[in-house]
Amino acid sequence: MKKIIITSLLFVSVFLNAQNFQGMAVYESKTSTAEMMKNFGGNREITPDMQKRIEENMKKMFEKTFVLNFEKTASIYKEEEKLEAPGQQGGGRMMASIMGGGGTQYKNVKEKMYVVDKEFFGKEFLIKDTLTNYKWQMSSESKKIGEYTCFKATAVVKTDASDMRNFRMRGNKDKEEKAKKTKDSIDASKKTNFLKEDFEQIKEKTITAWYCPEIPINQGPDKYWGLPGLILEVNDGTTVLLCSKIVMNTKDKAEIKAATKGKEVTQTEYDDIVMKKMEEMREMYGGQRGGRGGFH
C-alpha cells in the first residue's frame, strides 16, 4: 500500500514540476434551504405546501456546478455555463450577486491576492483584495472522497456583509426593544436600516474543509486555500462544496489570469455598495415613490 501511495505522489510530483502543468476540479454546490428559512424567521402565514415550494425553488437556485482550473500558484473558479430560462437571465445574475455568488474568481497564492469580477444592478465591479489568512486547525481525521484520501481541517472565518446567506432575523427580545424605541422616538418618521435593525449579520462561521495531500496544490474552491493539498470539500454550515471530478494535466489548457473589466474596489467597499443598494430597495418598496433602481 505504501509503495502505491509513494508512486502516486511521485506521479503527481512529475506533473507539478512540468512547465505547463494544469489541473481541473469540478465542484457541486448544495445550500441548506431549511437553514436559510430558519435564519430569516419564516412566515406564519405560509402553509407547509407553500414553504415546500419555496424551498424547492431555492434549491434549484443554489444547486450549481463550479469548475476550478489550477496551476502551481494560481487558479480560476467560476460557475459552469448553462442556458437559463427565458426572462430569468438578469434576475438570476442579480440574485447570484446578492447571495454571494456570480463572477469569476482568480486566486494567486504566491502573491496572496484575489480578483473577482461581479455585475450588480447593471454595473460591473472588479473586487481586488488580499487573500484571507485562514488559521487552519488540522486534524488526523480522514475520509475518502472518491478515490482520494482526505484529511479534516477547520477554521473560524469572518463573513462577507454582501452575502445575504450571512444574515438572520433578530430574536423576539430584540424586536420588542426595537418596537419600543420606535414608539418612544420623537421623530416617528426616522428611517431605520433594514439590515441593521431587522436583521443581524452572522459575523463568524466555523468552516470544515477536507484536503487531499496526494494533490499537493495550495488551492481550493471559491475563496478557500492554504492547506497542504487540494481542498475537495468545504462546509460552512449553510453551503457545501463537494468535488465530483478531478482531471490532472488537462490537455485543453484554460486561461488562468485575473479579469480586468469593471470598477476596481476592495471587498469592504463592495460590501458597502451592496448594503446601501439593499437599503435603497427597502425604502423604495416600503412605500416611497421611485423608479427602477440603478447606479448613477
Side-chain angles (χ1 to χ4, degrees):
M1 181 62 72
K2 289 184 179 179
K3 289 183 179 179
I4 294 174
I5 294 174
I6 292 171
T7 302
S8 176
L9 290 174
L10 289 173
F11 183 68
V12 173
S13 180
V14 170
F15 281 133
L16 291 178
N17 291 324
Q19 186 175 357
N20 297 319
F21 163 78
Q22 192 174 118
M24 180 194 73
V26 179
Y27 294 85
E28 307 297 334
S29 171
K30 289 188 178 181
T31 295
S32 173
T33 54
E35 188 68 24
M36 287 188 63
M37 293 286 285
K38 184 174 71 174
N39 283 345
F40 284 91
N43 189 324
R44 293 181 181 180
E45 296 179 2
I46 295 179
T47 65
D49 286 342
M50 290 172 64
Q51 179 163 335
K52 184 178 179 181
R53 286 198 296 271
I54 292 171
E55 288 188 9
E56 286 176 351
N57 288 331
M58 291 174 70
K59 185 177 179 182
K60 291 177 183 178
M61 182 186 299
F62 295 120
E63 286 193 350
K64 297 181 178 181
T65 301
F66 296 88
V67 177
L68 177 74
N69 286 286
F70 56 85
E71 53 188 23
K72 288 183 182 180
T73 60
S75 67
I76 284 285
Y77 179 78
K78 62 181 179 180
E79 183 180 347
E80 187 177 61
E81 294 181 1
K82 61 182 178 181
L83 292 175
E84 294 179 311
Q88 292 188 1
Q89 287 88 344
R93 283 197 299 268
M94 186 185 76
M95 280 303 298
S97 294
I98 294 174
M99 301 311 293
T104 298
Q105 183 165 138
Y106 170 83
K107 292 198 301 287
N108 191 309
V109 299
K110 184 178 180 180
E111 298 178 6
K112 302 291 190 297
M113 56 84 73
Y114 70 91
V115 179
V116 183
D117 63 320
K118 282 194 176 186
E119 181 182 333
F120 186 63
F121 275 89
K123 181 159 183 161
E124 292 184 354
F125 292 92
L126 194 66
I127 306 170
K128 284 189 176 183
D129 219 317
T130 304
L131 283 171
T132 299
N133 183 24
Y134 295 105
K135 295 181 179 179
W136 295 107
Q137 298 294 318
M138 299 167 69
S139 165
S140 60
E141 185 178 345
S142 65
K143 73 173 182 178
K144 283 278 191 178
I145 297 180
E147 62 183 38
Y148 296 98
T149 299
C150 298
F151 292 88
K152 182 180 179 180
T154 58
V156 177
V157 301
K158 292 182 180 180
T159 63
D160 294 337
S162 60
D163 187 341
M164 294 300 105
R165 290 173 298 181
N166 295 326
F167 284 82
R168 64 188 172 197
M169 289 194 73
R170 295 185 184 276
N172 291 331
K173 185 177 180 181
D174 291 336
K175 290 179 185 177
E176 290 172 4
E177 290 179 356
K178 177 199 163 188
K180 186 176 185 302
K181 288 179 182 178
T182 302
K183 184 178 179 181
D184 295 342
S185 175
I186 297 175
D187 184 7
S189 64
K190 184 179 180 181
K191 301 181 183 67
T192 57
N193 186 303
F194 170 71
L195 291 177
K196 288 184 178 179
E197 296 295 331
D198 297 326
F199 290 82
E200 62 182 353
Q201 183 184 349
I202 302 170
K203 299 291 186 180
E204 293 182 337
K205 284 185 176 182
T206 298
I207 59 172
T208 300
W210 294 89
Y211 66 96
C212 177
E214 295 174 57
I215 307 175
I217 292 292
N218 195 9
Q219 290 284 351
D222 199 11
K223 55 194 172 185
Y224 303 108
W225 73 289
L227 286 166
L230 179 65
I231 299 173
L232 299 191
E233 181 181 335
V234 177
N235 186 338
D236 69 359
T238 303
T239 300
V240 177
L241 292 167
L242 177 62
C243 183
S244 60
K245 180 181 178 182
I246 297 176
V247 180
M248 305 297 292
N249 202 28
T250 53
K251 292 181 179 179
D252 299 325
K253 304 296 182 184
E255 188 176 46
I256 299 179
K257 67 177 186 179
T260 56
K261 292 183 179 180
K263 179 182 178 181
E264 188 171 325
V265 292
T266 64
Q267 185 67 59
T268 299
E269 289 170 339
Y270 180 76
D271 289 350
D272 288 342
I273 289 169
V274 173
M275 296 288 281
K276 288 177 182 177
K277 181 53 63 177
M278 293 300 292
E279 174 62 12
E280 288 178 15
M281 289 177 65
R282 184 200 69 81
E283 292 177 355
M284 181 174 68
Y285 288 109
Q288 291 189 5
R289 293 184 178 183
R292 191 173 179 176
F295 290 98
H296 303 286

